[in-house]
Amino acid sequence: ACVLCYGQTGSGKTHTAFGPPGALEASDDATDGLVIRTLRDLLRADVSVALQYLEIYNETVVDLLTGEPCDVRRDNGELTGCVEAEVGSTDDALRLLRAGSVRKRFAATQMNARSSRAHSVVVARVRQSRGDQILESTLQLVDLAGSERIYKSGAIKDATRCGEAVAINGSLMVLGKVIAALVEGRAHVPYLESKLSCLLRAALGGASRTTAVVCCRRRHDHADETLQALRFGKRCALVTNFAEQVAASSAADALKTIDATIAQSEQSLAGLRDRGSGNLATAKTLQDRLAQMRTRRRAITDVVRREARVAEA
């Protein structure tokens, strides 16, 4: 699964992800951001959790837990050279987040006194036992750096800030191109044009349940940026991923998985039609997917019936 916080600089993405200033030092259930809330819920469950914490700054990937450079594999989006630290409690997780936050790149601009100058990502590797099986999952919690108009932020007066803004806007533009290609069903999706889209490849077009949180400023002089952010969110809603269990221990389990996929696909298809987007390529993909799942369900149902007859005999 993946959660993306997207929006203009100063619109509240880091607040949404991590909470108000000081949240990592003094966690508060009422004001904690989604990263802390999510990790707390995970660590209350009967699972083991390992964390990675990184940022992408000017197309360079840095491990925030060590300060050392790491990288993203172009073929599958996996991280290489990034420390993975086991955590057993919320306090453990907060200590790691605090250590990483010290290394995060912030700077003051005319639009934000503490502007994130890089995309930051918390990756949780979750492992749980189900009978004699081990189920592994990955959760990405992404605080994207904000898009910014250079003349508004004042970055044009500072070569470093200007370079950062160009890199941020460039990677967000690639993210938008990837979303557009997926919605339109193009044969080529430009994942490889930025480290961010490489890292989020599974979240954007793979077997991931992904949520985009769009943050907006209320002031009317930022209306153009707000409209752009909302349009990005609308395009994200048109992308359909298929989250599947990798293996099932029985035909009954397989039927449950397929039924859940069918229900999810029907819901997504209905949503597209309600928004007047039933003619898009993604809707055709969903229809094909539904047909495949229904055919597979009939085949498994036949197997279950045969096994039942044999058992009765």
Side-chain angles (χ1 to χ4, degrees):
C2 176
V3 179
L4 297 169
C5 293
Y6 177 93
Q8 178 191 18
T9 185
S11 60
K13 298 178 301 301
T14 299
H15 188 110
T16 299
F18 294 98
L24 297 179
E25 285 73 27
S27 179
D28 181 345
D29 288 359
T31 59
D32 284 342
L34 65 87
V35 172
I36 302 173
R37 292 168 185 260
T38 302
L39 294 178
R40 183 185 294 116
D41 285 349
L42 272 179
L43 291 162
R44 285 173 177 165
D46 186 19
V47 298
S48 63
V49 179
L51 296 183
Q52 295 171 297
Y53 194 13
L54 63 127
E55 73 172 10
I56 302 175
Y57 174 77
N58 287 354
E59 284 300 287
T60 299
V61 188
V62 177
D63 183 346
L64 289 174
L65 297 183
T66 65
E68 298 296 322
C70 54
D71 210 349
V72 181
R73 288 183 54 175
R74 291 168 61 86
D75 56 345
N76 61 10
E78 288 292 324
L79 287 165
T80 59
C82 190
V83 168
E84 190 171 288
E86 293 277 348
V87 292
S89 67
T90 304
D91 287 341
D92 289 347
L94 288 172
R95 276 194 291 271
L96 286 179
L97 294 177
R98 284 196 295 268
S101 295
V102 172
R103 298 186 176 94
K104 289 175 70 172
R105 296 174 188 265
F106 295 98
T109 70
Q110 291 178 181
M111 295 183 66
N112 190 354
R114 199 166 186 264
S115 172
S116 298
R117 310 312 292 168
H119 310 297
S120 62
V121 185
V122 176
V123 181
R125 309 284 184 186
V126 185
R127 181 176 294 180
Q128 57 185 305
S129 300
R130 290 190 178 176
D132 59 353
Q133 294 182 325
I134 299 296
L135 185 64
E136 295 183 342
S137 307
T138 300
L139 174 63
Q140 294 175 318
L141 303 167
V142 187
D143 176 19
L144 295 172
S147 59
E148 62 181 72
R149 302 279 177 92
I150 295 176
Y151 71 90
K152 281 188 176 182
S153 68
I156 198 169
K157 303 174 185 177
D158 185 317
T160 300
R161 299 289 87 80
C162 186
E164 292 166 348
V166 169
I168 291 167
N169 290 342
S171 60
L172 292 175
M173 182 181 70
V174 173
L175 188 61
K177 288 169 63 177
V178 167
I179 297 294
L182 291 170
V183 170
E184 295 168 15
R186 297 180 201 163
H188 173 67
V189 181
Y191 293 113
L192 302 184
E193 290 188 15
S194 82
K195 295 288 180 70
L196 177 66
S197 51
C198 276
L199 178 64
L200 299 180
R201 184 169 189 155
L204 299 173
S208 173
R209 181 163 296 181
T210 300
T211 298
V213 180
V214 178
C215 302
C216 302
R217 297 172 72 109
R218 293 186 178 185
R219 286 171 45 181
H220 65 84
D221 52 334
H222 298 302
D224 288 346
E225 290 88 343
T226 295
L227 185 59
Q228 180 184 14
L230 292 173
R231 284 173 174 162
F232 174 84
K234 183 178 180 180
R235 289 194 297 273
C236 285
L238 299 176
V239 177
T240 300
N241 287 353
F242 300 100
E244 292 184 343
Q245 187 172 318
V246 174
S249 58
S250 68
D253 286 344
L255 281 177
K256 289 179 183 178
T257 301
I258 288 175
D259 286 343
T261 303
I262 289 173
Q264 179 191 352
S265 299
E266 288 175 338
Q267 184 180 8
S268 298
L269 187 58
L272 288 173
R273 288 169 175 164
D274 290 343
R275 293 191 291 270
S277 303
N279 60 337
L280 290 176
T282 189
K284 177 63 167 60
T285 300
L286 273 172
Q287 291 169 346
D288 293 344
R289 180 68 168 180
L290 275 169
Q292 293 170 8
M293 288 295 101
R294 287 166 178 156
T295 299
R296 192 181 301 179
R297 192 189 193 288
R298 285 194 293 270
I300 294 175
T301 301
D302 290 342
V303 170
V304 172
R305 287 171 178 166
R306 284 198 298 272
E307 289 176 350
R309 286 197 294 269
V310 170
E312 289 174 359

